[in-house]
Amino acid sequence: MNDDRSSGMSEALRLTRAGQLDEAFAAMQRSLGAAAMTPPAGNGTSPGLPGLSLPTGAAPLGGMRGTPGGGGLLGRLRSAMAAKSGAGGTGGLSGLLQNLPSAAGGRGRAGAAEAAAAPGGEIRHLSHTEPAGTRAYDLYIPTGRSGERLPLVVMLHGGKQDAADCAAGTRMNDLAEQHGFLVAYPEQSAAANSGGYWNWFSPADQQAGAGEPSIIAGIVKAVMAGHAVDPDRVFVAGLSAGGAMAAVMAATYPDVFAAAGVHSGIAYGAAHDMVSAFAVMRSGGEPADAGTVPLIVFHGDADPIVAPVNAEKIVAARLTRAATSVSDTKRIERGGGHPSTRTVHTAADGTVLVESWTVHGGGHAWFGGSPVGSYTDPQGPDASAEMVRFFLGSEPRRGA
């Protein structure tokens, strides 16, 4: 992470705790404005990272203009700081960020539960407990598949979303009904993160056998214990903070997941706290070893929240272990959807390592999703369909 930015954000945190709000605001403005990139404006609302949600038309994190009393993220930070100070709050910068007002949509979105159930299968509302904590999750069971060993897809929602919203927006249950697989939707708890974000940036939640990864892996084991699941066809995918956590799960549980999908996310190990999380949203950071699980990556090249360089970092981290790799790039244009560029990286023996989609003009939203769910871009390409195609066609656990 850039040293100037790190020191600037640390100084902002110190000043906030000291009650010097104007000075803290100025330090954040200098830090965020000086070093960050300014990608083109995106479209639609966004779940944001790590604790942010910007409305339509909001300036990107790196290019925001924080005028006193004005809009934009820094203006909202100033308001949040003042409100916390007036209330005597001392929760620190992390708490302020996680409690910023959210964009329209997200939790409790009207019609989401109905849309999630529309394909006709059964939805069970369950919970699972590990030493690290308890999380609720929804499980979709397709019709007419009793007795078969089915694939399992684990879907991780973005911030300010819940399981039903994620299911409705991605239409993953429709694909589960069509292709015959189970879908589990773990749900972040407000106690673990007040904004509903997976804590992908916390070292305690970046390792196997501990934190949120242990809970998500525990949910997989619980589903497998109660249903006929093919253990060689278990997959994980997510959007935004959920995409970042999907990258964590792929790196830390290669014995559980056969492939992973990262949509508008961040590479494993690129951040180690809230301050560095902000920096890597713009720079991509320096990721850790991504492991050997095959990845499919979607990212809009006009994403104003998580810079497109993050997709490049995800791909590069996955290719680090490959002695040699071959890439094949194709431009894809389909009627009504965003044009996109798909690059497939394969090992010398033909094994697919990473498939990366750059969606031209795409912002920070699930491509090809339903407008019933929040944080979707219905124009496409259809990220859900492409991920399912990648998952079901993958060869399980062949690393490079």
Side-chain angles (χ1 to χ4, degrees):
M1 172 177 148
N2 182 283
D3 290 340
D4 291 339
R5 175 173 293 190
S6 177
S7 61
M9 294 296 280
S10 297
E11 176 68 2
L13 178 56
R14 184 190 68 77
L15 291 168
T16 299
R17 287 171 171 163
Q20 298 174 261
L21 302 186
D22 287 338
E23 292 84 352
F25 176 80
M28 289 188 68
Q29 191 171 33
R30 287 193 303 272
S31 177
L32 291 173
M37 299 170 8
T38 308
N43 52 21
T45 55
S46 149
L49 285 170
L52 306 175
S53 184
L54 303 182
T56 301
L61 181 61
M64 63 191 80
R65 302 186 185 277
T67 55
L73 177 58
L74 288 178
R76 292 161 71 195
L77 279 170
R78 179 189 284 274
S79 299
M81 285 175 169
K84 277 282 186 181
S85 177
T90 57
L93 184 58
S94 173
L96 291 175
L97 294 174
Q98 291 178 352
N99 286 288
L100 284 173
S102 64
R107 293 182 180 273
R109 191 175 179 88
E114 291 82 356
E122 180 185 357
I123 296 179
R124 296 183 183 177
H125 305 290
L126 306 165
S127 67
H128 179 75
T129 299
E130 290 284 332
T134 298
R135 296 294 185 275
Y137 68 98
D138 285 359
L139 179 66
Y140 183 82
I141 305 171
T143 58
R145 303 282 179 168
S146 60
E148 297 182 50
R149 285 159 59 93
L150 303 180
L152 169 64
V153 176
V154 179
M155 295 293 294
L156 301 176
H157 62 75
K160 308 297 181 184
Q161 291 183 311
D162 59 16
D165 189 14
C166 179
T170 62
R171 294 194 181 100
M172 195 57 74
N173 291 350
D174 294 85
L175 291 165
E177 194 67 22
Q178 177 183 345
H179 295 283
F181 58 86
L182 301 160
V183 193
Y185 298 90
E187 196 168 279
Q188 179 64 301
S189 70
N193 186 294
S194 59
Y197 300 84
W198 298 103
N199 291 305
W200 58 274
F201 50 86
S202 167
D205 299 296
Q206 295 176 340
Q207 54 188 301
E212 290 172 2
S214 71
I215 301 172
I216 295 168
I219 288 173
V220 170
K221 293 176 183 176
V223 173
M224 294 178 71
H227 302 270
V229 175
D230 183 343
D232 291 329
R233 294 193 294 168
V234 178
F235 313 99
V236 61
L239 168 68
S240 194
M245 185 54 78
V248 171
M249 298 308 298
T252 56
Y253 284 94
D255 57 327
V256 173
F257 298 104
V262 182
H263 197 310
S264 309
I266 289 174
Y268 168 65
H272 55 269
D273 56 24
M274 180 71 75
V275 173
S276 60
F278 274 104
V280 302
M281 286 164 60
R282 313 312 321 148
S283 70
E286 297 298 329
D289 185 347
T292 60
V293 170
L295 303 178
I296 180 169
V297 179
F298 273 82
H299 215 111
D301 65 7
D303 190 329
I305 306 300
V306 179
V309 68
N310 284 276
E312 299 172 17
K313 294 282 189 172
I314 293 168
V315 172
R318 176 58 186 88
L319 296 178
T320 298
R321 285 201 186 190
T324 59
S325 64
V326 178
S327 62
D328 178 65
T329 299
K330 180 183 297 184
R331 185 176 174 89
I332 298 174
E333 297 191 28
R334 294 170 180 161
H338 294 287
S340 56
T341 298
R342 182 185 68 189
T343 301
V344 180
H345 301 270
T346 56
D349 64 356
T351 302
V352 175
L353 306 174
V354 191
E355 180 176 315
S356 178
W357 288 68
T358 299
V359 181
H360 303 300
H364 194 72
W366 190 275
F367 299 115
S370 168
V372 176
S374 64
Y375 317 127
T376 61
D377 182 347
Q379 289 188 60
D382 190 336
S384 294
E386 296 296 346
M387 286 189 182
V388 169
R389 185 252 324 150
F390 182 84
F391 291 162
L392 299 185
S394 65
E395 298 183 43
R397 298 182 184 83
R398 289 183 60 191

